[in-house]
Amino acid sequence: TVRALPSAFDRARSAEKDFDVLRHTGGSDGPRVLFVGGNPGVARFYAAAAQELADATRGDVTVLGLRGFVDGRRVSRHWWGDASRWALNRPRGAFSVDEQIKHVAGAIDGERALAEGQGRRLVVVGHSIGGYFALKAQRDVPVVCVTPYLENREADPAFRKLRRLVTSPLAPVLAFSLAS
């Protein structure tokens, strides 16, 4: 089930409609997890994965959508203009990598404050480019990066080890152990 949890971060961003935040809970025993998605950048796309993670960690998972990528009900009708402004380096509705990193850093700070107020740890899980943004935000929190694609290089022992790790049914336990 999806349950909205109030947050100072949400209230501070309530006037902005250029990203979505989705919250899932699996209980209050585990960590707070900030899940930063990759493509398509829409929080709702990660709803099932977030609920699985919340249940596995018995914690709360916040899915942060990327700026400029919102649920289809609120997509700007002026996207052609936004795309051309972005191409001309004059963005209004499209956001640079640095702006996305700043966005993720702000979310980490907001979720960390919530976690500390509850006496819990915060773990950041980043998928694809979301993992890159989370690492580049350079906040002092554990970051677990999940990649959707691995080049098949069976001859490389490091590849085989990484593939076993990310395809393991115990991958959520890894995130939980980092938060414990």
Side-chain angles (χ1 to χ4, degrees), residues 37-46 65-71 127-129:
N39 286 329
V42 178
R44 190 170 48 100
F45 183 79
Y46 298 95
L66 300 179
R67 291 192 72 190
F69 297 88
V70 295
D71 187 307
H127 169 253
S128 189
I129 191 70

Side-chain angles (χ1 to χ4, degrees), residues 10-142:
D10 292 336
R11 285 190 299 277
R13 301 287 189 193
S14 63
E16 293 184 17
K17 300 294 184 195
D18 60 21
F19 68 93
D20 291 323
V21 174
L22 189 63
R23 297 187 181 277
H24 294 266
T25 187
S28 58
D29 298 336
R32 291 194 69 87
V33 177
L34 175 63
F35 189 102
V36 183
N39 286 329
V42 178
R44 190 170 48 100
F45 183 79
Y46 298 95
Q51 189 61 57
E52 292 275 335
L53 188 56
D55 291 343
T57 61
R58 298 181 317 279
D60 296 321
V61 176
T62 300
V63 182
L64 178 67
L66 300 179
R67 291 192 72 190
F69 297 88
V70 295
D71 187 307
R73 292 182 305 255
R74 290 187 283 155
V75 171
S76 168
R77 291 191 175 111
H78 308 291
W79 70 272
W80 279 108
D82 291 342
S84 63
R85 277 187 290 281
W86 182 79
L88 296 170
N89 202 22
R90 289 184 223 127
R92 182 184 81 195
F95 299 92
S96 70
V97 169
D98 289 338
E99 288 171 312
Q100 296 289 6
I101 292 167
K102 184 190 244 183
H103 169 60
V104 171
I108 292 172
D109 293 344
E111 290 296 317
R112 180 189 299 156
L114 287 173
E116 288 173 355
Q118 297 168 344
R120 296 159 73 185
R121 290 206 44 202
L122 172 66
V123 174
V124 178
V125 175
H127 169 253
S128 189
I129 191 70
Y132 175 80
F133 295 153
L135 288 172
K136 287 300 206 176
Q138 297 184 354
R139 295 302 194 254
D140 189 24
V141 296

